[in-house]
Amino acid sequence: MEGPATRELELTLSDGASDDDDMPATLPTDGGHSGSIRKGCDPFAQTQRSKLQHRRARINQQINKEMRMRAGAENLFRATTNNKVKETVALELSFVNSNLQLLKEELEELNSNMEIYQTDSDAISVPMIPLGLKETKEVDFTVPIQDFICEHYGEDSSQYDKEIKELIDLRQAMRTPSRNQAGLELLMEYYNQLYYLDQRFFSAHKNLGVYFHWYDSLTGVPSSQRALAFEKGSVLFNIGALYTQIGARQDRSAADGINKAIDAFQRAAGAFNYLKENFSNAPSLDMSAPSLSMLVRLMVAQVQECVFERTTITTQDTKFTSQLQLAQEAAQVSDVYSLVHQTMTQPVMKDYVPFSWAAMVQVKSEHFRALSHYYAAAALCDHTSSSDGEECEKEVDKAFLKLYVNISSGQTLSQILEDPEKRRKLGKAHLRSAVMRHEEAMRVHSLCKVLRKMDILQDVLCQMHKLSLEKYLELDREDDFDETAEAPEIQAHTQQKPDITPPSFFTVQVTDIFQRLGPLSVFCARARWGPTRVICLQRREGGMGLTLRGDSPVLVAGVVPGGCAEEAGLREGDYIVAVDGQDCKWAKHGEVVHMLKSCNDREVQISVVTLHSHDIQVERKAVMLSHCSDKENARQRLLGGAKGQSSASLLNWNRKKKREGSGVTKKLGSTFSLSFGNIRDAEAMY
């Protein structure tokens, strides 16, 4: 049995995520249901990406096996007092640790494989860093859900075999999403479906008993929990990871491809940031706060890089102000990558992040700092006095004044612009810095085995180093004996700051797979009701003696004292779930009334359940939702839409806040009576 100490270690949600925020968008339904139209990739398709995922899955399983062996050996080593056994176990432990180290190095090499995620375009562009998906084991929901339906809902679980299979198939498809919008929608559909799964089968008092196994995306270390929050968090992580792969594969040689990459990386940052803010006590390091913070910064940096690339495409002229804008944009990219590198080299992350990632980030920081100096030099060297008038000169002066963080004393910027020789010397200083930065980028690149294999990156670095060196040699003179001064630091500035786009959970509409169990307002895992009672009623001259209210399901709002309904055992607060054996959990008020009236003078059998007082919040939701005249799914959509696109499709399963009553219900023995004064629906007596 799960104890408090175990719960503290499980992945939890922040108190800010409320139950109402959980409600995903739904398709209008009348109680019927059709399966998902979204499918995963063929797991046997021999694409480069699928081969990589298969190798990663195989290594994850081997790491899991070795770690279990190590845990057993360590337990034996601590337990035994026999020296010979200890020596044997110590030898076995060293062997297992060696195997683990080799497997982790192999996995790191796979995670460092960025080229297969890049675009197939022939255009030369700096590669982006994508993230591999978290792997997971298959989960068989069959027996746990069947048992829960039988015990909690009191229904024949065999009638729900189709729904259980559909849930299992959806999760299986979610394991292999395609690298496009359809793959994202598949993950989002399963994520939204988890809301209903939580409501139907996960109560605060009883665990479903299903274990969710997920592997760390970078180290392959396995984690296993029964908490549905762990499943939700892992799926959300994969949504962010898939966005990174979609962003990396865009053709960034044109503005349209760059815009798509920007959108993908911003959405990836939003997914990771949302995960960081709403989940805690992560069981795996990839979902911990330091790791997610690093990923958010990495995605923001890649967005900034895309903004720079778009600026270079849209700015084809060699105007002084345009060149200065490029210089400041490049400096901005360098700064954000420098911040990412600092995050990656922190003690917690240093041994976790692949070395190739840290090297790539450092290379980009140096590369874009070199580009900022190169464009500043190009602006200075190509600048001539404008013939367009005073307004243009003012614009040039204004742009130049904003270029530097500070300027050395003894000369003003206006003097530099007016004097060609001073412009030449300052441009030469910038080019010298550009050459040195490019050489540093090439040095860091040469130290990493993975980066050395990336021909595109090497071509970009060599090409820009060559351009800087050639331009430097053009400015260098034989009689230039003065030592080249240090180039001033360029002020970073961008025309577009990256946005962190939160997940839009309501863009993918889903229908509750298990909606045949009844409306969630009443038929949920957190509700407690008595066994189904069959009431036999026969109409008398004065009617049946009951008052009905609402629909889906219809509520017995009152019974006439001494009437037919009271004598038969019907009570105020009962919900009608069937009439003459015909299920009417989803039936509207008029439909139930029609079934009751159609019996004429013959006896009619009404199946009812009584909701017990248990959780005030559930009762309040039951009162409000059960009497709404609209369809329940439309109500859920309204609740979700009111929260906005950033509202959470998450449930705070580990509640810490004490809930208090608000006068919605009052106890009458073991049942509760509903106060109807604030409900707009009209009563009807029959």
Side-chain angles (χ1 to χ4, degrees):
M1 187 173 179
E2 191 178 49
T6 308
R7 278 188 177 274
E8 285 185 358
L9 296 177
E10 290 183 337
L11 181 64
T12 59
L13 304 180
S14 68
D15 291 334
S18 68
D19 288 1
D20 287 342
D21 289 342
D22 253 14
M23 231 166 254
T26 55
L27 292 168
T29 176
D30 57 0
H33 180 65
S34 57
S36 171
I37 60 173
R38 303 177 182 91
K39 305 297 178 186
C41 293
D42 179 7
F44 299 104
Q46 293 300 303
T47 63
Q48 280 189 313
R49 179 170 164 265
S50 66
K51 288 179 181 178
L52 187 68
Q53 289 295 109
H54 289 158
R55 287 179 61 193
R56 184 180 283 114
R58 177 182 56 81
I59 294 174
N60 285 336
Q61 292 173 2
Q62 290 177 329
I63 289 175
N64 187 24
K65 179 182 176 182
E66 294 292 339
M67 290 191 69
R68 291 171 66 182
M69 290 178 61
R70 185 174 72 175
E74 287 175 345
N75 289 337
L76 179 59
F77 186 85
R78 286 191 294 265
T80 185
T81 56
N82 190 307
N83 290 332
K84 287 187 177 180
V85 173
K86 280 196 171 187
E87 290 177 4
T88 305
V89 172
L91 184 63
E92 182 67 25
L93 273 173
S94 64
F95 177 73
V96 170
N97 286 330
S98 298
N99 284 346
L100 272 174
Q101 185 62 31
L102 291 173
L103 288 170
K104 288 182 178 181
E105 288 176 1
E106 186 178 355
L107 184 62
E108 181 180 349
E109 186 175 349
L110 288 183
N111 291 326
S112 302
N113 196 333
M114 308 174 205
E115 287 188 295
I116 68 168
Y117 295 106
Q118 308 302 319
T119 178
D120 296 329
S121 171
D122 294 331
I124 298 178
S125 57
V126 181
M128 294 293 185
I129 299 178
L131 191 63
L133 302 181
K134 286 174 70 74
E135 297 286 340
T136 180
K137 289 184 178 180
E138 293 183 13
V139 173
D140 189 356
F141 292 101
T142 306
V143 174
I145 289 182
Q146 283 180 342
D147 291 345
F148 197 92
I149 290 175
C150 183
E151 295 173 9
H152 187 77
Y153 292 99
E155 296 197 32
D156 182 4
S157 58
S158 63
Q159 300 296 317
Y160 293 89
D161 288 346
K162 180 182 177 182
E163 284 86 348
I164 295 173
K165 183 179 184 302
E166 184 179 337
L167 175 64
I168 294 174
D169 290 345
L170 178 60
R171 190 183 190 278
Q172 183 65 18
M174 173 275 306
R175 297 175 64 194
T176 56
S178 54
R179 195 167 33 141
N180 51 29
Q181 186 62 31
L184 291 168
E185 290 177 357
L186 175 61
L187 287 169
M188 196 69 79
E189 179 183 357
Y190 178 69
Y191 183 88
N192 284 343
Q193 197 64 241
L194 290 177
Y195 161 78
Y196 293 110
L197 193 69
D198 190 8
Q199 294 288 298
R200 296 287 189 191
F201 304 110
F202 286 79
S203 69
H205 309 288
K206 182 180 179 182
N207 196 286
L208 192 60
V210 175
Y211 280 90
F212 301 103
H213 299 265
W214 288 86
Y215 296 93
D216 189 289
S217 61
L218 295 181
T219 63
V221 175
S223 299
S224 175
Q225 283 193 3
R226 290 180 294 179
L228 195 64
F230 181 40
E231 179 86 343
K232 288 181 178 180
S234 299
V235 174
L236 185 57
F237 184 93
N238 274 359
I239 290 173
L242 193 56
Y243 270 123
T244 69
Q245 296 180 15
I246 292 174
R249 75 176 302 191
Q250 299 301 323
D251 181 4
R252 305 197 311 279
S253 60
D256 183 59
I258 293 176
N259 289 333
K260 290 179 180 178
I262 288 174
D263 180 68
F265 288 128
Q266 287 183 157
R267 292 183 183 277
F272 295 135
N273 189 60
Y274 187 88
L275 191 59
K276 175 174 70 75
E277 291 180 349
N278 290 277
F279 288 77
S280 59
N281 298 328
S284 56
L285 194 54
D286 57 352
M287 293 166 65
S288 65
S291 176
L292 292 171
S293 297
M294 179 271 295
L295 291 174
V296 170
R297 288 180 176 177
L298 176 60
M299 295 306 114
V300 168
Q302 296 191 143
V303 171
Q304 199 68 67
E305 182 179 350
C306 291
V307 171
F308 169 78
E309 291 176 338
R310 187 177 60 191
T311 306
T312 59
I313 292 176
T314 56
T315 309
Q316 298 292 345
D317 60 78
T318 57
K319 287 173 57 179
F320 182 78
T321 54
S322 299
Q323 297 295 309
L324 294 189
Q325 180 186 347
L326 288 174
Q328 291 188 298
E329 286 282 359
Q332 179 72 21
V333 179
S334 176
D335 283 355
V336 291
Y337 270 120
S338 177
L339 182 62
V340 176
H341 186 257
Q342 291 175 19
T343 308
M344 287 183 172
T345 53
Q346 294 298 313
V348 179
M349 291 286 99
K350 187 175 182 180
D351 296 327
Y352 175 69
V353 175
F355 176 70
S356 60
W357 284 22
M360 171 72 88
V361 167
Q362 188 177 359
V363 165
K364 287 190 175 187
S365 179
E366 296 292 342
H367 170 66
F368 283 102
R369 181 58 65 180
L371 285 181
S372 71
H373 286 291
Y374 173 81
Y375 283 113
L380 289 165
C381 298
D382 299 338
H383 176 66
T384 55
S385 296
S386 176
S387 60
D388 295 337
E390 187 177 346
E391 287 295 325
C392 187
E393 284 297 330
K394 286 182 177 179
E395 183 182 347
V396 168
D397 291 342
K398 185 178 179 181
F400 194 47
L401 287 171
K402 295 179 179 179
L403 179 63
Y404 298 117
V405 176
N406 51 55
I407 189 71
S408 59
S409 59
Q411 55 182 344
T412 63
L413 293 178
S414 57
Q415 290 175 340
I416 295 174
L417 281 180
E418 293 171 359
D419 189 336
E421 180 62 20
K422 289 181 178 179
R423 288 204 312 272
R424 183 189 72 83
K425 289 185 177 181
L426 183 57
K428 183 180 177 183
H430 278 298
L431 287 171
R432 177 174 175 272
S433 295
V435 171
M436 292 175 63
R437 292 280 188 169
H438 274 129
E439 288 176 350
E440 177 62 16
M442 295 170 70
R443 184 190 70 81
V444 176
H445 171 269
S446 66
L447 295 177
C448 180
K449 181 177 67 175
V450 174
L451 297 187
R452 286 200 301 269
K453 297 178 182 178
M454 301 180 70
D455 297 333
I456 296 179
L457 180 59
Q458 189 165 359
D459 291 344
V460 171
L461 295 177
C462 291
Q463 181 182 359
M464 293 310 302
H465 177 260
K466 182 179 178 182
L467 285 174
S468 299
L469 189 59
E470 287 176 352
K471 202 165 188 68
Y472 178 81
L473 294 176
E474 286 178 11
L475 297 180
D476 195 23
R477 296 174 181 174
E478 291 183 3
D479 58 348
D480 197 355
F481 298 110
D482 294 334
E483 185 178 350
T484 305
E486 287 289 331
E489 184 180 354
I490 296 174
Q491 177 69 56
H493 179 71
T494 180
Q495 299 296 320
Q496 178 186 336
K497 290 186 177 181
D499 291 325
I500 298 179
T501 308
S504 301
F505 299 112
F506 299 96
T507 57
V508 178
Q509 296 182 328
V510 298
T511 304
D512 180 12
I513 291 177
F514 293 92
Q515 62 179 336
R516 284 201 298 129
L517 288 170
L520 275 175
S521 57
V522 176
F523 301 97
C524 62
R526 292 164 180 80
R528 292 289 182 272
W529 56 84
T532 304
R533 309 192 322 275
V534 179
I535 307 297
C536 297
L537 289 178
Q538 190 163 12
R539 180 184 294 272
R540 295 178 184 174
E541 185 176 346
M544 291 185 175
L546 73 160
T547 302
L548 301 182
R549 180 189 293 275
D551 49 29
S552 302
V554 174
L555 177 75
V556 178
V559 293
V560 177
C564 171
E566 186 183 54
E567 291 178 0
L570 202 62
R571 297 194 296 263
E572 177 186 347
D574 285 345
Y575 287 95
I576 299 177
V577 296
V579 176
D580 281 338
Q582 183 177 348
D583 188 287
C584 58
K585 297 191 193 82
W586 286 96
K588 300 303 179 184
H589 185 103
E591 294 170 349
V592 173
V593 171
H594 176 73
M595 286 189 282
L596 291 175
K597 287 184 175 181
S598 64
C599 68
N600 296 323
D601 294 332
R602 69 176 177 83
E603 186 179 74
V604 61
Q605 290 186 340
I606 305 177
S607 299
V608 297
V609 295
T610 303
L611 190 65
H612 291 291
S613 179
H614 57 297
D615 187 326
I616 298 300
Q617 183 173 356
V618 172
E619 290 168 6
R620 186 183 303 119
K621 189 181 292 185
V623 173
M624 299 304 296
L625 293 184
S626 64
H627 307 313
C628 182
S629 58
D630 300 327
K631 293 182 178 181
E632 185 188 57
N633 286 323
R635 174 69 168 168
Q636 291 172 355
R637 191 161 58 252
L638 276 173
L639 287 173
K643 297 293 182 181
Q645 289 294 323
S646 63
S647 54
S649 271
L650 302 169
L651 183 69
N652 189 356
W653 63 271
N654 192 7
R655 292 174 174 78
K656 296 178 182 177
K657 292 182 179 179
K658 182 179 180 181
R659 294 187 170 88
E660 299 177 354
S662 59
V664 177
T665 65
K666 59 179 181 178
K667 296 192 68 174
L668 287 177
S670 61
T671 64
F672 72 95
S673 177
L674 302 167
S675 57
F676 301 112
N678 59 344
I679 305 299
R680 68 186 181 191
D681 300 327
E683 294 181 357
M685 180 175 286
Y686 304 98

